[in-house]
Amino acid sequence: MHVVSAIDPETGALIARNPFREEFGDGVAFLDVDRRPRTVTADRGEFLGRHGSVANPSALGQVELSGRVGPGLDPCGAVQTKFELGPGESQELVFLLGWAESPAKVREHLDHVRYLGAAAALDEAKARWDRLLGAVTVRTPEPAFDLLLNRWLLYQATSCRLWGRTAFSQSGGAFGFRDQLQDALALLHAAPEMAREQILRHASRQFVAGDVQHWWHPPEGRGVRTRCSDDFLWLPFAASRYVETTGDLAALDAEVPFLEAPALAPGQEDDYRLPGVVADSASLYEHCARAIDRSEPTGAHGLPLIGSGDWNDGMNRVGVEGKGESVWLAWFQIVVLRRFAPIAEGRGDAARASRWLARADALAEAVEAHGWDGEWYRRGYFDDGSPLGSAANVECRIDSLAQSWSVLAGAPAGRSARATAAVEALLAREADRIILLLAPPFDRSVPDPGYIQGYVPGTRENGAQYTHAAAWFVQALALQGRRDEALRRFQDLNPINHTLDREGVSRYKGEPYVLAGDVFSQPPHAGRAGWTWYTGAAGWLYQVGLETLLGVRRRGDRLVVDPRVPASWERFQVDYRFGETVYEIHVLNPEGREPGPARVAVDGEAQALPEIPLVDDGRRRRVEIVLSAGEERADEA
């Protein structure tokens, strides 16, 4: 055994290290209790006993533990203390379990808790969570909507996806390049500084050539370089969203280094290693620009090459020969190009801006010429030129991704309306309250689409509800002005509504307060939650609920409220904290019609523009927004 345990001479805590680990080798785990005397052991054999078990360890029958620590043991951590409890009495014991970078840091952590007291330290942690999760609070006519949007979705995205990066069904701890970039966008209102930090962290995992690590493990950064075709584009997508929301143009000038490693050889799908770091750095803007320029190659139909998978990693053999194309990736590139070109223009990089806008127009023409299947958009093309996601396919005749993003990318309204109607007709399962990613599932398809076909049909990406994509479909419905349908589909995704009675709980089997990454679609498990907690759907559904349905979007020092809620909602409220100021926003729809232009008053003073000026002065301000009937407004992804 490589774990070496000891008693820290200054604090008396039981500590343990594994110096043979390449990562975390200097770190120290610690265990202690706030009572003395106390006894400990780091020997699992002593704690469990010869005939004992975890359910009935022999240590429970011992007067005290031996104090055995050191190398060469079957390691565990056990601490025992004794106290007398009289009738009606109560006592509080505090056990401390944690990890630190060094023994000195262990002492700092323990001193911090002992100085404050356990109750105060716990209150301090709760206050930090309250500040983050309470930055935006909504009150609408839909209690289940409020319960999920207030705290739970943001908590799931932060605690599981950004910090833990692990869950019961996904135990790893790695950063995914596209994954945590998207998750961080949910923090643009509550903690924009955390989003900024995440964006810069990801920029540092980009190679000089513009591609990135698909995932990596901190702290050293070992990870995998792949031919995945969308990862690197999430950097300019996230950076543009951050700058647009916060107005922090200076972030684009932040200097970030590049990685260096041997390029993938012909036929090599990926490479796992610890890459080097280039001595020279470049601005975040340059990192984003290289990512965009990296995405230029197209295939025979003028569509982007899918590589070893686009957003759907499981389609890793669609373009294994380097010729397969992705319709979804065309939509995504169009969004990124049109979002980032104005940033380039504003920085005086007119040549790039012009080139990017021309590329966006060319991609839009290619999609309409070669992506439209008659009633919906195809998903792409295999290496041999055969279509994917077409009515001609026996399996995966339709994929929701290409339909939702046609709306987000501004496709012709007539076609995108037919595309979303096809999703509702062919992928929405009313009885199970699910929205499938694709149908029918892969099983025996030729050409082989990739490891997605290895999943049991109706699970995960292979024909289940992949909730991440379903959230985009809700957004697409709202942007089309289909407000009632958008809210109804949001509530279909809401786990609360899957667990309202005994029958629902028995079928769904997932926690009612966290989003599931997938929900099975095939009998006998139709409607059953798959992976919970670890899903990018949490951050996206939060954005869809707050920014698209309720229409709350920050634009630097202004807040715009442009709701897309049902006409039946007569009112709703949003409490929005900006620094130390809380804006109590009351949105009224007295005419009960589809909302149009709004009248905005802040503390009784009418605003010339339908915007709320944001001022951090520590006051509580009352905002009244009265909606009136009008034309639908255009929006963007």
Side-chain angles (χ1 to χ4, degrees):
M1 289 296 180
H2 299 313
V3 175
V4 179
S5 55
I7 302 295
D8 181 63
E10 293 190 26
T11 63
L14 174 61
I15 61 176
R17 298 174 59 186
N18 182 356
F20 286 86
R21 285 290 305 271
E22 291 189 74
E23 292 94 359
F24 308 106
D26 295 329
V28 182
F30 62 90
L31 173 66
D32 201 7
V33 65
D34 67 341
R35 292 295 182 97
R36 297 293 188 272
R38 60 95 185 92
T39 58
V40 303
T41 184
D43 183 358
R44 189 192 307 262
E46 174 190 348
F47 181 74
L48 296 179
R50 178 173 296 180
H51 301 295
S53 65
V54 173
N56 185 29
S58 64
L60 291 182
Q62 297 174 211
V63 175
E64 60 183 27
L65 300 173
S66 68
R68 187 177 301 139
V69 296
L73 301 174
D74 182 9
C76 79
V79 59
Q80 181 189 70
T81 188
K82 293 179 269 189
F83 58 92
E84 293 185 2
L85 196 64
E89 291 183 352
S90 65
Q91 296 190 36
E92 182 178 272
L93 283 79
V94 179
F95 290 87
L96 301 167
L97 174 67
W99 182 91
E101 293 85 354
S102 66
K105 286 292 185 181
V106 170
R107 293 161 197 151
E108 285 183 23
H109 293 328
L110 294 178
D111 287 345
H112 175 72
V113 174
R114 287 166 180 162
Y115 173 77
L116 287 178
L122 183 59
D123 288 342
E124 185 183 74
K126 288 179 178 179
R128 288 197 300 269
W129 274 114
D130 284 341
R131 182 164 182 82
L132 176 68
L133 304 181
V136 182
T137 303
V138 308
R139 297 174 182 85
T140 77
E142 296 281 344
F145 178 91
D146 298 354
L147 189 58
L148 200 64
L149 207 62
N150 292 334
R151 303 178 73 92
W152 275 114
L153 286 175
L154 200 56
Y155 177 75
Q156 182 176 352
T158 304
S159 65
C160 180
R161 294 282 294 184
L162 290 173
W163 291 351
R165 302 185 302 281
T166 191
F168 180 77
S169 299
Q170 173 73 19
S171 182
F175 282 104
F177 196 90
R178 75 162 76 95
D179 298 341
Q180 278 71 37
L181 271 177
Q182 294 175 75
D183 298 326
L185 296 178
L187 293 169
L188 288 177
H189 301 278
E193 69 283 356
M194 290 174 61
R196 187 185 200 271
E197 178 185 4
Q198 196 71 43
I199 290 167
L200 294 177
R201 176 182 292 118
H202 283 248
S204 73
R205 311 316 299 175
Q206 183 184 43
F207 295 97
V208 175
D211 60 326
V212 299
Q213 286 183 306
H214 186 59
W215 54 258
W216 75 93
H217 279 285
E220 293 189 347
R222 283 182 175 81
V224 63
R225 187 178 195 175
T226 71
R227 298 185 186 277
C228 192
S229 56
D230 75 308
D231 281 341
F232 43 88
L233 283 170
W234 288 103
L235 182 63
F237 180 89
S240 63
R241 282 286 311 277
Y242 170 80
V243 168
E244 178 186 67
T245 300
T246 65
D248 179 17
L249 290 170
L252 295 169
D253 295 316
E255 291 287 312
V256 186
F258 290 99
L259 300 178
E260 60 179 352
L264 295 176
Q268 183 183 11
E269 290 190 16
D270 54 49
D271 178 43
Y272 175 79
R273 70 171 63 228
L274 177 62
V277 178
V278 177
D280 295 332
S281 61
S283 66
L284 173 61
Y285 172 78
E286 180 61 25
H287 280 264
C288 293
R290 290 197 191 187
I292 293 173
D293 290 340
R294 172 82 179 185
S295 66
E296 285 188 354
T298 56
H301 299 92
L303 300 169
L305 298 176
I306 194 171
S308 60
D310 50 16
W311 173 87
N312 195 330
D313 292 340
M315 293 182 174
N316 62 309
R317 295 192 61 80
V318 172
V320 68
E321 297 173 11
K323 293 178 286 187
E325 299 168 279
S326 169
V327 168
W328 170 79
L329 188 56
W331 292 135
F332 183 47
Q333 284 193 22
I334 289 168
V335 170
V336 172
L337 291 164
R338 290 177 176 167
R339 291 186 67 89
F340 217 78
I343 293 176
E345 189 74 40
R347 294 175 66 90
D349 197 353
R352 266 177 169 158
S354 177
R355 188 171 75 249
W356 291 342
L357 290 176
R359 274 180 54 199
D361 291 344
L363 288 170
E365 291 179 9
V367 173
E368 297 307 327
H370 303 290
W372 183 248
D373 197 61
E375 292 297 328
W376 58 80
Y377 287 98
R378 295 168 184 161
R379 184 62 172 82
Y381 287 91
F382 288 92
D383 285 314
D384 65 0
S386 58
L388 171 65
S390 163
N393 296 121
V394 175
E395 299 172 351
C396 188
R397 297 180 67 242
I398 180 173
D399 187 300
S400 76
L401 218 61
Q403 322 318 320
S404 299
W405 276 80
S406 72
V407 180
L408 274 58
R415 281 189 171 182
S416 60
R418 291 165 69 183
T420 53
V423 173
E424 291 205 289
L426 302 174
L427 298 178
R429 299 279 180 85
E430 303 293 343
D432 299 316
R433 303 192 75 161
I434 58 178
I435 306 165
L436 307 185
L437 175 61
L438 57 85
F442 291 107
D443 193 15
R444 297 178 175 84
S445 282
V446 178
D448 176 10
Y451 74 76
I452 187 173
Q453 193 159 256
Y455 286 124
V456 175
T459 62
R460 300 292 292 163
E461 296 99 318
N462 192 17
Q465 172 180 286
Y466 206 69
T467 314
H468 189 155
W472 285 332
F473 180 63
V474 175
Q475 185 178 28
L477 290 175
L479 295 181
Q480 288 179 323
R482 300 176 59 188
R483 304 163 187 270
D484 292 280
E485 294 96 326
L487 178 65
R488 179 163 60 91
R489 296 304 181 189
F490 183 104
Q491 295 291 54
D492 283 346
L493 305 186
N494 192 332
I496 296 169
N497 293 320
H498 286 264
T499 53
L500 295 175
D501 53 34
R502 184 188 297 270
E503 181 183 355
V505 170
S506 177
R507 177 178 55 185
Y508 188 67
K509 299 184 184 296
E511 301 94 328
Y513 43 83
V514 295
L515 216 55
D518 61 304
V519 182
F520 301 168
S521 66
Q522 299 296 309
H525 303 300
R528 177 173 178 173
W531 290 12
T532 61
W533 282 104
Y534 197 84
T535 170
W540 271 107
L541 199 61
Y542 181 80
Q543 294 175 71
V544 170
L546 179 63
E547 297 186 352
T548 308
L549 295 179
L550 300 185
V552 178
R553 283 186 174 240
R554 180 182 161 193
R555 294 289 183 268
D557 62 355
R558 301 274 165 172
L559 197 68
V560 178
V561 181
D562 182 19
R564 287 172 171 79
V565 297
S568 59
W569 282 21
E570 295 181 357
R571 62 172 58 237
F572 67 88
Q573 180 178 336
V574 178
D575 290 351
Y576 189 97
R577 192 184 69 238
F578 178 73
E580 298 305 318
T581 300
V582 175
Y583 289 84
E584 184 182 297
I585 304 167
H586 298 264
V587 181
L588 310 177
N589 183 15
E591 299 179 19
R593 295 160 65 183
E594 297 291 342
R599 301 192 305 274
V600 179
V602 179
D603 291 334
E605 182 178 341
Q607 303 299 301
L609 297 173
E611 301 173 340
I612 303 166
L614 295 173
V615 181
D616 183 10
D617 59 7
R619 296 173 55 187
R620 186 175 186 91
R621 296 178 175 271
R622 179 182 175 88
V623 179
E624 189 169 277
I625 299 176
V626 181
L627 305 175
S628 60
E631 296 181 356
E632 291 296 334
R633 295 160 305 284
D635 209 330
E636 57 187 34

